[in-house]
Amino acid sequence: MSDTPTLSLPIQMFYFETKPPAYAHVGDAGLDLRSTERHTLRPFERAVVSCGFAAAIPEGYAGLVVPRSGLAARHGISVVNGPGLIDSGYRGEIKAVLVNLDAHEVFEIEPGDRIAQLVVVAVPSVNLKIVDELPPAERGAAGFGSSGVR
């Protein structure tokens, strides 16, 4: 038995023929999301794909819809707004905004296909404090590419 904390996540299924989100393996971070509909994604096309359920994500948490690594590596399928953010107050149907980044191949989505993953993460409430100057840090303002490639 694991010491990993668990979170109860109420979900409402909209289609009885759709499987609910589930982990593929013990210890996985993301719950597989399945399509409820058929889509053809041509190269560089995007689609909003229904996952067939709504969730009551608790306050203090958020849901992140992220790409499946196998679909990304083999077919160039990604989440357009990756990760897609689901706020705790949202109670509508969970959907994945997918894009086909393959320049040549069409990608077919069938009902029941695993198309993305849902990762539920803790998010603190943030109180902004406007200051005249930020405290120093070793990195400072060094930004894009400042750490090099190698």
Side-chain angles (χ1 to χ4, degrees):
M1 188 159 172
S2 171
D3 290 336
T4 305
T6 58
L7 175 71
S8 180
L9 182 64
I11 66 169
Q12 177 184 8
M13 296 301 297
F14 297 132
Y15 308 98
F16 292 111
E17 58 278 353
T18 303
K19 291 181 182 177
Y23 294 110
H25 305 283
V26 173
D28 284 356
L31 295 149
D32 285 332
L33 301 178
R34 294 178 182 271
S35 173
T36 64
E37 51 199 9
R38 182 172 282 109
H39 282 278
T40 298
L41 282 176
R42 290 176 177 68
F44 305 116
E45 255 185 358
R46 64 183 179 270
V48 178
V49 182
S50 164
C51 296
F53 74 99
I57 296 172
E59 190 173 328
Y61 292 85
L64 302 178
V65 178
V66 299
R68 294 191 69 232
S69 57
L71 288 182
R74 288 191 283 283
H75 303 286
I77 302 302
S78 191
V79 175
V80 175
N81 57 331
L85 175 63
I86 304 165
D87 292 312
S88 63
Y90 177 69
R91 294 295 184 267
E93 184 175 3
I94 306 298
K95 298 181 180 186
V97 185
L98 301 181
V99 63
N100 180 358
L101 297 175
D102 189 291
H104 307 288
E105 298 295 323
V106 168
F107 185 75
E108 299 289 342
I109 299 170
E110 297 293 331
D113 285 355
R114 293 179 296 159
I115 55 166
Q117 292 184 316
L118 174 66
V119 178
V120 178
V121 295
V123 290
S125 180
V126 176
N127 293 315
L128 298 179
K129 179 180 174 186
I130 298 174
V131 297
D132 292 329
E133 198 172 301
L134 295 176
E138 185 178 325
R139 181 176 177 174
F144 297 110
S146 64
S147 62
V149 175
R150 294 184 184 17

